[in-house]
Every structure is written in C-alpha cells, then in structure tokens.
Amino acid sequence: MTTGSRSQPGRGTVSRRGVLRAGGGLVAATALPTGLAACSGGGSGGTVRVVGVADEQQPITEMIAAYRRSHPGTAFSTSFAPTDQVQTVVRTQLAGGNAPDVHVLYPGSGSAMSMVELAKAGLLAHLDDQAWTRTIPKGFDAAYRWKGRTYLYSAGSSVIGAIYNKKVFADAGVKPPTTWSGLLDVCGTLKARGVVPIALGAQTPWVTQLISYALVPNAVYAKDPSFDDDMAAGRATFAGSGWADALGKYQDLQKRGYFNDHPDGTTYEQQTSMVATGKAAMAVQVSAVLAAFRQAAKSPDDLGMFPFPGGDDPANLWIPAGVVVGLGVSARARNAAKGRQFIEFLGRQENINAWATAVSAVPFTRDSTTRLDPALSDFLPIIDADRAVPFMDQRWPNAEVQPAHFAAVQDLLAGKTDVNGALEQMDTAYGKSS
Amino acid sequence: MKAPRTAGPRLGRRDPAVPPWMFVVPALVVYAAVVLYPSVAGVVYAFTDWSGIGSFSFVGLANFHTLLHDDRALASITNTLLLTVAVVVAQNGLGLLLALGVNAEIRSRNLLRVVFFAPAVVSPVMVAFLWKYVYNPDNGSGLNGVLGAVGLGGLRQDWLGNPSLTLWSVAAMVVWQYAGYSMVVFLAGLQGVPPELHEAARIDGAGTWQRFRYVTWPLLAPALTVNLMLSTIGGLKLFDQVYAATNGGPGTSSETLSTVLYKEAFVYGKFGYSTAVALVLALFVAAVSLLQLRYLRAREVAA
Amino acid sequence: MSTATAGGVSAGAERPATARRKRPTGYGRYVLELVMVAAAVAFLFPVYALVALALKSPSQIAGSPLSPPTSPTLGNFGRAWSSASLGSALVNSTVITAASLALLVVVGSTGAYYLARCVRGMGYTLYVLFLLGIILPFQLGMIPLYKLVDDLGWLGTYQGMILFYTGIQTPFTVFLYTGFIRALPQDYAQAALIDGCDHRQAFTRIVFPLLRPITGTVIILNAVFIWNDFFTPLLYLGGSGKETVPVAVFSFVGQYVSDYGMVFAGLVLAALPILVVFLLLQRYVIKGFAGGLKG
C-alpha cells in the first residue's frame, strides 16, 4: 500500500465524469472514457502540438492526415486523454507556461476548460478573421463567442434522445412514442414483457444528467425561454421552477419500475451493453455515443434514435441540442499561427461535415454536401423549428453546478433526497462565485 | 544528542564508522529537486486565490478559513477516516491470517504466497476497473452472480450504488489488493521467530493460541509497525481507487479528502484552495504517522 | 494443487529431510491447507473474471459472462496489442523503468549507508526529511515541478521521466534500505576499513553485496509503481511518441469501453510483464522485508 497509492491527481482514472461537462456539453463519442494515444509528429521545431479529449481522437486524426496532404511541411504531435486527465494535463501545461498550440475547448462557460473561462484569462487567440466564423448561427453565440469574439471551433451540435433497440420494440409491438403519456404506455408494455424499458447507468456520473436534460427543454424553456437570464439575474432558482417537474418525471420513471434495478450501481458500459444486446429497450443518451452502441450490437442497424418526449404535444416538442466539444488556439503558443491555419482548414464545409459525421452531430452550418446520420432524422425538423435548447450547463456560471447536478440525481435515485432537496443542492452550487 | 556530531563533515571524522556525508548527497539532490523544492514552491499557492491559470493575488489565510466552513470537505474527512480505519484493520488482520497460513508447512505455500501478493502489483486503476465489473448489480454476473451460484443469493447487494455501502465496497477492493502486501511483511517477521522458542513453549505446555500470543505476537512488533504505518499513510492519501471506482458517489457518499482536493484543483478551477486542502492533508498525515510511530516504537521496545 | 494429497509424499524426494521433520503431524495441516486453498480461490475470483472475459467473444460474454470460456479465443489479445501499439510502448516503459530502478538502487543504497550509520544529529534530521517525502501529497509540487522539467528542456524525453521517478521514489527506497542496513552486522565493513579500505571500497565490495535481498524488494516495489503510473507519463510524454504502456492501454480502453473482452485483454497484457518480474524476484521480496524488520 505504500508506493502504489500515492495520491496523484488523475493518475489513471478511467472515469469520464463530466464528459458532457459544461458548455454545451459535447460528449463523447465512442471514446468516452479514456483514450489517449499519440502519434509522434517528428522533430520539435515547427511541430504543431495538439492536445485533445478522447472523444475527438478520430476526427482530429483524420483531419490532420487530410491537412498534411495539402501542407506536407507542417508536422503535428497529438495526444489524447479522457476528460479528467486531459483537463488536468492542459491546465498544468497552461499554468506552467507551456501551452499546446491547439487544445481541447468546451463550449460556453461552466467548466474549468470552457471557452469563457480560458478567454477571460487571456489564454485563447480569437478566430474572428476566419470565414467560417461568420456562418455560426446567432443562437449559438453563447457557445462560441465571448464579448463578441469567436474563440471556439466546434463542428456542430449533438442531440440528447432515446437510443433504442429496434428489434425489442418490434417484438413488443410498440413504436417510438411522441408524447410523455405515450412513453409511459410503451414502457408499461415493455416491462410487462420482461424487458427493462430504460437502461440507466447512473454510476457513471455524466450519465445521470441526460434524462434531466431531455426533460427540461419542455418543462422549462418551452414556457420560459429567458430562464437562463432570469437565473443569472437572480430572479429565478432551480427550486420552484420547471426543473421540479423535470426531476419529478425522472423520479416517476424510477417509481414505476421503468429503469433497471440499482441504476446508481450500473455503469455506462453496462447500460450500453443492455440496450445493444436487447436486455433493455432504450437508453436516454447523446447522439455522440451512437457509434459505441452500434459497436456493441450485433448489427449497427439494430439501433435507432428518437426524441425523448418530455411534453404531451407532439407538434410542439422541445429537445436539447448542445454544441460538441471542440478546439481552441492558444494565445501564446509557439506555433499558434500554424495552429490557426489548421483551424481555418477545419472550418471548410466538407471538414465540418466530416467531423460532425464522426461524432454523430448536426453541423452548425449545412449545405447540399452534408449527410446526416439517418438516426438523427427525427431531430432535424425540431432543430430547424428552433425548438432545440443548448445543454443547460452551457450558461451555468461556475464549474460546480454540473457536479452538484450529478450528485443530486444520484441522491434522488438512491432515495436520499427529494426533488426539492436535489434542486436546493444545485441552487447552492449556482450561488458560488466562479 | 551530542552537538559536535552535527557540526559537519570535518568533525564527523572522529567516528570512522560513519561514512562521509558525500554518500547521501546524490539521494538528497534528486529528492530535493523533484520533491522538496517543488513542494515548498507549491505551498505558496495555498495563500492565493489562483484558479490554476492566469493571474492571482494573495489572500492570506482565507482559504483555510473557507475550509473550516466547507461542508463537503469536512464530510470527506469523516469518510477518509472511516475508510482508513476499515482498510488498516481489515488489510492487516487478513494479512496476518494469510501470513500465518502460508508460513505453516503446507504444500502449496509458495504458490499461495504468489497468489495473495499478485493483486498488489496490478495498477490501482485497473483494479478499480475490474472491480466495477465484479460489483455490477446484475444478478447473473460478477460477485452477485457468484453469490447466487453458491446459494447465497440473499447476500446480493448493489455494491457501488447503495450510498451506505459504497465506502465499504471500496475498502474491500483495497483490502483485496493490498492484503498480500501486509502478508509479505508479516511473513518476513514470522521468519525471524526462532523455532526453538516455539519448541520451548510447547514443552512448557502452551497451546496454539498461547504460543501465538506470548511468543509470536511480541516478535511481530516491528512488522506490525511497518504495516500499520504504510497502510495508514496509504489509506489517508487513497485517491486512485476511490476516484476510478466511484468518483466520490453516489451523491457525495464516498468523497474523500483526496478526491475533494483533486476536484477543487482541476474540476472547479480553485487551485489555491485545493493547495490549502493538500497542505492540511499533509500536516494531518504527518501528525498521525508521527504519533503512530512513537507509540509503536515504544511498544516494540516494551515487548 | 490437486496433487497435494496424492503425490505429495513421493515428491518429498527432493525435499531435505529436515524440512519434512518440521511438518506438524495430524489432520490439522490438511484442514489448514484446504482453508488456505479455498481462500486463494476466493481471492482469485476477480482475476478469473478478468481472464475469462479476455478469452471470450462479445456474444459469449453476453450469454454467460461467468462460465469458463468454452472456445477460448486469443483474438481479443491480438486486437488489443495492435490497437494500443503496445510494442513500442513496452520498449518505452522498459527503458524508463529499468533506468529509474538502476538510479534508485545506487542513490538509495548509498544514501541509506550514510543514514543508517549516522543516526544522530544531521543524520537523523536528514532521515526524517526523507520520510517526509512519503507523506507529502503529490499535488503540492505538481506545477513547480512541471515548470522545472520544462526549463530543463526535458519534456517528452526519457531523462525527464527517469529524473521524476528517481526523485519521487527516493524517500521510500531510502526508508527500505536504511532499515535493512541498520540490522546488518557492522563487523565486515569495519574490518575492511581497518584493513585500509576507504568507505567507497567498503561499500562496493562488502556492504552492497550484502544488500541483495533488500535490493530485490526495492526493485519490485518501485517497478510496480513506475510501470503502473499513468498520469505523469501522460503529462510529460503526451504527443512525444514515447508513451508508456498504461498510456497506450488506456487509449483503447477509451475507445472500446463496451467491449469488455478486448479491454480486459489489454489489462492482462499491461499487467503481465510486471507479474513476471515479481515471480522472478518474489523470494527476495520476502527476504528483504525480513532483513529490514530487524532494524
């Protein structure tokens, strides 16, 4: 027990807490937890250092390969790690004055590696002179921009919805529901057939928030689109808001027995395997993990995705859609100029498309060449009708609200607190200075 | 303590058995460069409001004041202590039993020693990853599956999901990993017990328990000191296993001082405050170890 | 294990007669053996789960996770090996671990030689100072140390990692060596000194060879820590192409989280080298502790 347990931050953690962290959440594609690999970029001199989160490994690796075909003189060194480790690594490098040229950046505010947090500290170079920044829809400002300047590159948004096993649905003779009461009926039918209706892996912290996020757009933002501003101004609190309805429904699903037993002891990996193998019918998840679910299934076509209906008017359903984790350029790094050129390359439509495809996201700007993941087709009309709400944490003022939400949901599922107590925990965290 | 001995290398000559101080210089240099200097330089941040990036200002003792009123950190101290006590008692108790077992003349003892020690060489994070599978609540796999298979289905638990059980589940995982480590230390102590003493006691009519109590146990004192010291320090600083297995959850039910201090630094962006917590943890561990060392060494001498 | 009862007596041929005489008689021994073997089986359950899953295909895992693998496949190991580029990672880990261990043995044994013989004043103060290194949380010095390694230009190099591990493990190494040397009889070294050797010669010719058992302990325990460390190589080596085994393994644990078979195969591959080293050195580990405890 001596040397092995030296307490060292982040050493080797497999957790991927907060993958959805902050700013718009992002999340993680296939490579949720960890994932770090590296390709050596050759000599030190003009090498562009890129540090990314595991979820970005596939698109970044592909994009660098494509970039080097037209810029063979630019060498890259890349390193990827799961959320916790990459956050620790990049913050240590920033603190030590040895910033990577290009590094992982979370949209909006609300986390230690978020765009606002780093821009405030003067650590990011703005990208305003790049053409792609002018195509970012106004509604995404909070995710990409701080004080009117763009600091984040991100390919687009991922949505939260229900990933479901088509075969299990067909066997039970049910179709994806479009209303809350329809959802309860479907769950009832599935449960009667001995299938777990909704797999929930709440032992993995970031998974806890997905059902809240799926329900809050209808419970809160459909009625009060300015809720974030009201919170910021102190005119509203989580307790007593539509959040109470959302968490009430979350709890209701558990009380009716529509989750697997012991969700607090079940991990994301087990949740994935339950849906992929048909032990469970669906899981509320981010589209970015579709690839991981497909990998675990016998055939990728076994799985589909539908908007998780938080309301009872199918024509007026609201959904969460958050800007995915992206990249920023250091203000002071040695090869920052080359890093900016690479980002400009990523801003071309075909590259936005490619990145978005790799993480099952909806590109922030689309043209005729954009091919969406077919599983997302039910979400597109809602996004185009402006009924998609950014992930809630994107406007939270500090990095403590999101972990407080995770803990509150786990406590709720364990019966250690009630809806009001859970929301008070979140209000306390919200009140802390950033 | 004779003062002249401290006066330096020149006077040290008076005792030719003492090697020249040059012998300790390489160790001291590398230790000072990698541990001492950075730690001392890092302590400064405990008195600042630094976020870990950007600029900061000095805030005096404000971080320590905050700590006194930080419910999350204070609650984690209780967890840290419970976990440490559980691990120290169970790991060393089990370690002692295993050592007595594999010290006896049984055929499989060499193989068993390797089996019991093997988990200690595996990385703690891998152990946590493996045990998350072992602890999964499904009735058909992992520990619950085994309990069912051997007719103990009634003992099935939601090992990591039940907030009042989580801390103990983590403790059991740590004990599994390091009981063999304690075993090896006790085994070393047992091998130092002269067989003649046992023989003499047996002739005097002492039973198995009496021979253990009055012959073996007193001679195990040095081994016990090493084991208790190392497992206490390890328990108080335990991070990897807790963070990888539970992340402090469900809720905050398995949060320890080490997980709190990690989160403050790298998740919440409060590096200054985190350093203050780390400093308090260090002082705490130092105080506990020192007290323990004094007591145990005194006990060794008495025994 | 199953041969313990049947073949045991004849196997006694290679055991010296003295060992046989020491054995207690009666059934007690068999009961004890049975209890210990049962304990070992319980102990091995997590390892069994690890290996069984590593040998199964995903569909076998979904069907019956706990049954023994009926048609074991090494495919998981092959896939794990290639996706994690474990080959080069093994080289990196071996270089860093071996060099750090060599330095630790030299630095730790010489330092302890002084500290064990100079137990008052300066010597005692230094000893306590070294013990402090076992207690200090790593976080305290993390950022200043990173700056230091950066200033040296040693980020992304073997020597940066070797310096780090040597420094961080010196306190524990000194602690082990000092306890052992204190328990050594001083006669040999003193005789050598009287014969005109200086301390350097006495140490290299007389003392160091006597340290063999504790050196075994030092090597195995430090090797475990260095080999398994994950965060430091990620911080110091990320992107350099010199990543170590844990960094490589966790890269694909991330990408294939739901594929237990492959993940567990990777974990087995990562732990295997260090287990082999332990098997080779385990005699010394126990002896080393035995010596150290006398002090």
Side-chain angles (χ1 to χ4, degrees):
Chain A
M1 161 105 17
T2 67
T3 59
S5 51
R6 190 181 300 282
S7 151
Q8 182 172 324
R11 173 153 54 77
T13 313
V14 216
S15 122
R16 56 212 85 83
R17 150 176 170 323
V19 162
L20 268 198
R21 166 163 315 151
L26 83 94
V27 172
T30 63
L32 278 175
T34 25
L36 59 137
C39 68
S40 154
S44 53
T47 303
V48 180
R49 277 171 60 215
V50 182
V51 180
V53 71
D55 328 339
E56 306 176 303
Q57 183 166 355
Q58 191 203 336
I60 290 180
T61 310
E62 285 171 8
M63 288 294 119
I64 286 179
Y67 184 75
R68 279 174 52 82
R69 281 196 284 275
S70 50
H71 301 77
T74 308
F76 288 85
S77 85
T78 59
S79 149
F80 299 95
T83 306
D84 281 315
Q85 280 77 23
V86 88
Q87 182 149 304
T88 310
V89 164
V90 177
R91 282 185 72 93
T92 305
Q93 293 177 342
L94 292 173
N98 180 36
D101 303 297
V102 176
H103 61 77
V104 57
L105 192 62
Y106 291 89
S109 64
S111 96
M113 278 304 289
S114 66
M115 181 272 295
V116 171
E117 204 68 32
L118 298 194
K120 263 191 207 163
L123 294 169
L124 293 175
H126 72 78
L127 307 165
D128 286 349
D129 50 345
Q130 306 200 352
W132 63 269
T133 62
R134 291 185 279 280
T135 66
I136 300 169
K138 209 85 207 84
F140 286 2
D141 265 6
Y144 288 82
R145 299 193 171 107
W146 184 64
K147 294 206 168 165
R149 305 204 120 155
T150 307
Y151 293 96
L152 171 75
Y153 170 82
S154 170
S157 309
S158 58
V159 294
I160 293 174
I163 296 178
Y164 72 108
N165 189 312
K166 292 178 189 165
K167 198 169 167 298
V168 174
F169 267 52
D171 288 350
V174 293
K175 287 195 158 45
T178 54
T179 62
W180 174 251
S181 44
L183 175 80
L184 295 180
D185 292 344
V186 166
C187 288
T189 310
L190 290 163
K191 187 175 162 65
R193 289 183 60 96
V195 182
V196 172
I198 304 175
L200 177 57
Q203 207 265 346
T204 303
W206 62 266
V207 173
T208 58
Q209 68 195 331
L210 299 171
I211 294 181
S212 311
Y213 281 18
L215 296 170
V216 159
N218 289 284
V220 177
Y221 296 90
K223 293 160 189 155
D224 179 8
S226 61
F227 180 72
D228 288 336
D229 297 326
D230 293 343
M231 284 290 289
R235 290 190 298 268
T237 57
F238 289 117
S241 74
W243 271 83
D245 303 339
L247 287 194
K249 282 178 169 159
Y250 200 152
Q251 203 176 28
D252 193 33
L253 289 173
Q254 186 189 26
K255 283 187 181 149
R256 290 169 185 258
Y258 291 166
F259 296 144
N260 43 292
D261 290 342
H262 311 308
D264 272 355
T266 304
T267 62
Y268 160 75
E269 291 81 2
Q270 288 148 9
Q271 173 191 39
T272 308
S273 137
M274 286 169 84
V275 178
T277 59
K279 266 182 83 175
M282 63 182 125
V284 178
Q285 265 296 357
V286 184
S287 55
V289 303
L290 264 171
F293 274 68
R294 285 171 174 153
Q295 205 172 32
K298 275 211 186 87
S299 149
D301 297 333
D302 291 352
L303 298 166
M305 194 165 177
F306 63 86
F308 194 68
D312 267 324
D313 178 3
N316 199 20
L317 198 60
W318 288 57
I319 57 159
V323 171
V324 299
V325 61
L327 293 172
V329 177
S330 290
R332 297 171 206 158
R334 219 167 347 135
N335 293 308
K338 284 184 183 169
R340 290 165 58 86
Q341 281 172 20
F342 176 58
I343 297 289
E344 187 150 33
F345 172 78
L346 295 182
R348 296 187 193 166
Q349 185 67 48
E350 71 264 29
N351 295 328
I352 293 172
N353 288 345
W355 187 311
T357 302
V359 298
S360 298
V362 181
F364 66 84
T365 165
R366 302 191 291 264
D367 70 7
S368 57
T369 65
T370 306
R371 296 277 173 276
L372 278 186
D373 191 319
L376 301 181
S377 53
D378 289 349
F379 294 84
L380 213 50
I382 304 179
I383 293 173
D384 289 341
D386 270 339
R387 279 183 276 117
V389 183
F391 294 165
M392 290 77 225
D393 45 288
Q394 184 184 291
R395 291 283 309 274
W396 289 344
N398 62 50
E400 299 198 36
V401 188
Q402 196 176 28
H405 180 210
F406 300 162
V409 170
Q410 286 182 335
D411 280 346
L412 197 66
L413 292 169
K416 276 187 74 181
T417 188
D418 56 13
V419 169
N420 233 332
L423 293 173
E424 276 166 14
Q425 288 176 40
M426 292 173 65
D427 279 320
T428 307
Y430 193 98
K432 294 197 178 171
S433 62
S434 64
Chain B
M1 230 177 260
K2 291 177 197 158
R5 284 268 174 82
T6 67
R10 217 155 38 100
L11 289 168
R13 281 258 171 88
R14 289 191 335 183
D15 183 350
V18 174
W21 57 277
M22 278 304 292
F23 271 86
V24 80
V25 168
L28 199 58
V29 167
V30 71
Y31 169 55
V34 175
V35 180
L36 283 183
Y37 154 73
S39 297
V40 171
V43 162
V44 172
Y45 298 127
F47 306 95
T48 69
D49 62 356
W50 198 31
S51 71
I53 49 173
S55 57
F56 58 81
S57 43
F58 284 90
V59 295
L61 295 176
N63 287 329
F64 297 92
H65 194 256
T66 308
L67 179 57
L68 288 178
H69 303 93
D70 182 344
D71 292 342
R72 183 167 53 202
L74 296 177
S76 77
I77 292 178
T78 315
N79 283 345
T80 308
L81 290 175
L82 287 174
L83 192 63
T84 304
V85 170
V87 167
V88 168
V89 170
Q91 177 188 324
N92 293 309
L94 186 60
L96 179 60
L97 289 177
L98 293 178
L100 290 170
V102 300
N103 193 49
E105 279 292 319
I106 57 174
R107 257 172 247 287
S108 49
R109 59 188 186 146
N110 279 327
L111 178 65
L112 290 178
R113 287 174 186 180
V114 174
V115 167
F116 291 130
F117 188 75
V121 310
V122 181
S123 115
V125 179
M126 290 191 193
V127 167
F129 192 82
L130 174 60
W131 276 76
K132 269 163 89 165
Y133 175 80
V134 170
Y135 277 149
N136 92 68
D138 183 71
N139 280 343
S141 59
L143 182 54
N144 282 347
V146 172
L147 288 173
V150 299
L152 293 172
L155 294 178
R156 284 172 178 155
Q157 298 291 338
D158 182 10
W159 302 102
L160 291 177
N162 177 348
S164 44
L165 199 63
T166 315
L167 201 60
W168 311 117
S169 300
V170 172
M173 175 180 93
V174 174
V175 169
W176 175 80
Q177 187 172 14
Y178 292 117
Y181 205 114
S182 291
M183 173 197 78
V184 167
V185 177
F186 280 127
L187 201 52
L190 287 173
Q191 298 193 334
V193 179
E196 309 86 62
L197 278 181
H198 270 282
E199 214 43 56
R202 200 198 307 269
I203 291 163
D204 288 349
T208 311
W209 164 250
Q210 282 169 315
R211 272 180 284 132
F212 172 76
R213 174 69 188 81
Y214 296 105
V215 179
T216 311
W217 182 241
L219 289 168
L220 278 181
L224 188 68
T225 303
V226 170
N227 263 339
L228 289 181
M229 288 282 297
L230 293 181
S231 56
T232 305
I233 294 173
L236 291 172
K237 289 169 69 179
L238 200 64
F239 173 76
D240 285 344
Q241 288 92 338
V242 185
Y243 200 76
T246 73
N247 210 285
T252 54
S253 56
S254 61
E255 208 82 83
T256 68
L257 218 43
S258 287
T259 63
V260 166
L261 104 88
Y262 171 77
K263 287 182 181 178
E264 290 289 350
F266 295 104
V267 180
Y268 305 152
K270 297 194 169 161
F271 199 88
Y273 180 57
S274 163
T275 309
V277 178
L279 194 57
V280 169
L281 175 65
L283 293 174
F284 186 63
V285 177
V288 170
S289 323
L290 207 67
L291 283 176
Q292 212 180 22
L293 190 63
R294 291 211 159 182
Y295 171 76
L296 290 168
R297 287 289 185 215
R299 192 180 153 279
E300 279 177 33
V301 173
Chain C
M1 259 177 282
S2 57
T3 62
T5 42
V9 179
S10 58
E14 50 180 273
R15 285 173 160 274
T18 48
R20 209 182 298 169
R21 210 172 48 224
K22 256 166 61 189
R23 281 190 216 156
T25 49
Y27 297 108
R29 184 158 58 83
Y30 293 104
V31 174
L32 179 65
E33 178 123 30
L34 220 59
V35 170
M36 292 306 291
V37 169
V41 169
F43 231 74
L44 281 175
F45 167 66
V47 178
Y48 165 76
L50 176 75
V51 176
L53 289 179
L55 289 170
K56 288 182 184 183
S57 67
S59 61
Q60 290 172 312
I61 292 174
S64 52
L66 282 181
S67 65
T70 42
S71 51
T73 162
L74 289 176
N76 289 327
F77 289 92
R79 287 195 297 145
W81 177 273
S82 49
S83 356
S85 348
L86 275 178
S88 65
L90 276 169
V91 173
N92 295 329
S93 277
T94 307
V95 170
I96 290 169
T97 308
S100 307
L101 289 176
L103 278 175
L104 276 167
V105 166
V106 171
V107 161
S109 61
T110 51
Y113 180 55
Y114 173 81
L115 294 173
R117 295 283 178 251
C118 178
V119 292
R120 285 153 204 263
M122 170 87 132
Y124 181 74
T125 311
L126 283 178
Y127 182 64
V128 171
L129 194 67
F130 276 111
L131 288 192
L132 187 68
I134 302 180
I135 287 161
L136 285 176
F138 176 83
Q139 292 90 332
L140 273 183
M142 201 171 94
I143 287 179
L145 182 62
Y146 182 80
K147 285 183 181 166
L148 183 76
V149 176
D150 187 20
D151 290 344
L152 287 171
W154 282 5
L155 290 175
T157 65
Y158 286 151
Q159 62 265 36
M161 295 307 297
I162 293 164
L163 170 75
F164 172 82
Y165 288 126
T166 309
I168 204 91
Q169 291 304 93
T170 288
F172 182 62
T173 308
V174 162
F175 173 72
L176 289 178
Y177 269 126
T178 307
F180 191 88
I181 297 177
R182 277 183 187 161
L184 278 183
Q186 296 199 30
D187 320 5
Y188 297 112
Q190 266 171 0
L193 289 172
I194 289 163
D195 283 353
C197 286
D198 60 15
H199 270 283
R200 193 176 55 82
Q201 290 163 322
F203 178 78
T204 49
R205 290 183 199 165
I206 314 287
V207 178
F208 189 73
L210 292 173
L211 298 181
R212 201 177 295 156
I214 192 69
T215 301
T217 311
V218 162
I219 287 177
I220 184 70
L221 296 183
N222 284 320
V224 166
F225 172 78
I226 297 169
W227 188 271
N228 288 332
D229 190 23
F230 171 61
F231 179 73
T232 320
L234 177 65
L235 178 63
Y236 289 170
L237 297 177
S240 69
K242 299 197 178 69
E243 286 84 354
T244 58
V245 170
V247 177
V249 165
F250 280 102
S251 78
F252 83 84
V253 169
Q255 290 167 57
Y256 301 94
V257 263
S258 309
D259 189 344
Y260 274 114
M262 180 157 161
V263 168
F264 283 3
L267 297 188
V268 170
L269 286 178
L272 217 49
I274 206 75
L275 275 175
V276 170
V277 172
F278 170 67
L279 287 180
L280 295 176
L281 290 180
Q282 60 107 357
R283 273 177 329 121
Y284 292 116
V285 176
I286 291 170
K287 271 195 206 156
F289 268 122
L293 291 173
K294 287 174 197 149

